[in-house]
Amino acid sequence: MGPHPAVAAIRLAVRRVLHDILTEHTSTPHTVGPHERPPSPLVLVACSGGADSMALASAVAFEAPKLGIRAGGITVDHGLQPGSDLRAEEVVQRLRELGLDPAESVAVRVGRDGGPEAAARDARYAALDAAAVRHRAAAVLLGHTRDDQAETVLLGLARGSGIRSLSGMAAVSGAGGRYRRPFLQLDRQTARKACMVQSLPVWDDPHNADPAYTRSRLRHEGLPALEKALGKGVVGALARTAQLSRDDADALDTWASQAEASVRDAAGGLECAKLYALPPAVRRRILRRAAIEAGAPAGSLFARHIEEVDRLITGWRGQGAINLPGKVVARRQGGRLVIRQG
């Protein structure tokens, strides 16, 4: 008799990703002696102790040895709750019991930039990046599910910042494709069921139910209300929207990259007439890229900024320079658009 369907589903998802990692690893040149074999790759599971990441850890512990891949685990202690250090040590112990090695806890200090959720995420990813470098890991696996993807799409929709914000989380992201998300096609309930049938202890982070956090309100109030109004297929439809949006955004980014060279003049400015002839989605991507190249921080550059710069091309009435974040200034000089540090 085979494993429970939920366990089979998480293992299959993990096996596919591990196979990709192994293929990439074996095709990468390694410096070894004439009679030595290249080292087997190491993957790290980012584990909070919740159902999604515990299910992921269990599947990686089962599948990795069969492919000759070493598997470890990292839990990040954000220090936001009393006893969080003890909780992190409990998670490390569970990872070791699953057979993951190395298994360690990393304490971080959460700042305040961008609000509590963004600050905690920034601190977490910085710690995971550092751990990946320290252990020379081929990849870091994250337990984000289809439900997380649906929430991310809705949050992007609420921001009103274009198709890229609707594309959710990528299955592969980070420096050199470091981060992998095997569960983006699986729902949260499958991960929870897999933990239950394997008798894996699960910790539910109280922040996930705290209405002070936007994602928590969306999870416990927003999505259930949408499902009630539109039916149970909402989560799957939002996840499909993410993939379709990502494909569209990638295509537009490629188009903008190719078009950029044709609109630049010899002095590095942008020719307004040629920009005007481009579709708005392509033109605005070129403007955004030019602003970032001039020193505007990407995280502070919003759609409204780019729209203002765009009006220097499409609604020219002799208006003055546009001030952008990072002390970058955009101005029209004759038929040229110049974006540079003020």
Side-chain angles (χ1 to χ4, degrees):
M1 184 176 165
H4 185 279
V7 176
I10 63 168
R11 287 178 179 175
L12 176 59
V14 163
R15 192 182 316 141
R16 286 172 172 158
V17 169
L18 291 180
H19 191 270
D20 290 344
I21 293 167
L22 189 62
T23 301
E24 292 162 17
H25 182 80
T26 52
S27 63
T28 303
H30 297 277
T31 307
V32 294
H35 303 296
E36 294 178 300
R37 295 175 62 189
S40 57
L42 169 70
V43 298
L44 296 174
V45 178
C47 186
S48 66
D52 304 342
S53 58
M54 281 303 296
L56 178 61
S58 71
V60 171
F62 182 82
E63 294 290 342
K66 298 200 290 187
L67 292 170
I69 294 175
R70 294 175 295 136
I74 301 286
T75 189
V76 177
D77 172 15
H78 297 86
L80 296 175
Q81 300 158 345
S84 64
D85 54 336
L86 299 176
R87 172 66 58 192
E89 282 307 315
E90 282 181 27
V91 174
V92 168
Q93 187 56 38
R94 289 174 191 168
L95 294 175
R96 287 182 181 142
E97 287 167 3
L98 285 169
L100 299 186
D101 180 35
E104 64 180 38
S105 164
V106 181
V108 297
R109 185 176 172 278
V110 176
R112 296 185 177 182
D113 288 352
E117 290 164 285
R121 184 175 61 248
D122 290 346
R124 180 166 60 254
Y125 277 101
L128 293 173
D129 278 334
V133 172
R134 188 168 64 250
H135 292 289
R136 297 182 180 177
V140 177
L141 273 55
L142 304 168
H144 296 122
T145 64
R146 192 172 66 177
D147 300 75
D148 295 306
Q149 186 73 300
E151 293 160 10
T152 303
V153 171
L154 285 174
L155 290 168
L157 183 64
R159 282 197 301 272
S161 51
I163 197 168
R164 179 59 74 186
S165 70
L166 299 184
S167 63
M169 295 174 285
V172 180
S173 66
R178 171 176 291 155
Y179 293 107
R180 310 292 172 116
R181 296 177 174 87
F183 289 175
L184 283 184
Q185 303 300 321
L186 298 178
D187 60 33
R188 190 174 288 144
Q189 197 55 41
T190 299
R192 191 167 284 277
K193 188 77 172 174
C195 289
M196 192 176 76
V197 298
Q198 294 179 103
S199 302
L200 290 172
V202 167
W203 175 63
D204 289 312
D205 186 344
H207 281 164
N208 290 338
D210 187 342
Y213 294 93
T214 308
R215 189 178 283 267
S216 172
R217 292 195 301 275
L218 185 57
R219 180 172 301 178
H220 296 285
E221 299 169 28
L223 261 176
L226 276 177
E227 287 187 332
K228 187 175 179 182
L230 302 174
K232 285 288 184 185
V234 168
V235 167
L238 287 168
R240 283 194 301 278
T241 295
Q243 186 56 58
L244 293 169
S245 299
R246 181 169 297 280
D247 292 344
D248 289 353
D250 287 347
L252 288 166
D253 284 349
T254 300
W255 187 351
S257 295
Q258 293 166 349
E260 187 172 4
S262 69
V263 301
R264 281 204 182 274
D265 61 23
L270 299 165
E271 295 187 45
C272 294
K274 289 181 178 178
L275 280 170
Y276 187 86
L278 291 170
V282 177
R283 182 174 62 245
R284 287 173 184 164
R285 277 168 164 76
I286 293 173
L287 298 178
R288 176 179 171 80
R289 193 170 305 174
I292 291 168
E293 283 175 6
S300 305
L301 199 58
F302 302 128
R304 58 184 170 82
H305 294 128
I306 303 305
E307 284 165 11
E308 282 187 59
V309 177
D310 198 36
R311 277 196 286 274
L312 294 177
I313 298 157
T314 61
W316 178 238
R317 302 284 185 274
Q319 58 264 49
I322 306 294
N323 293 312
L324 300 173
K327 297 182 179 176
V328 171
V329 177
R331 58 169 55 85
R332 180 159 173 158
Q333 298 175 339
R336 298 171 68 244
L337 184 71
V338 179
I339 303 176
R340 61 181 171 217
Q341 288 272 323

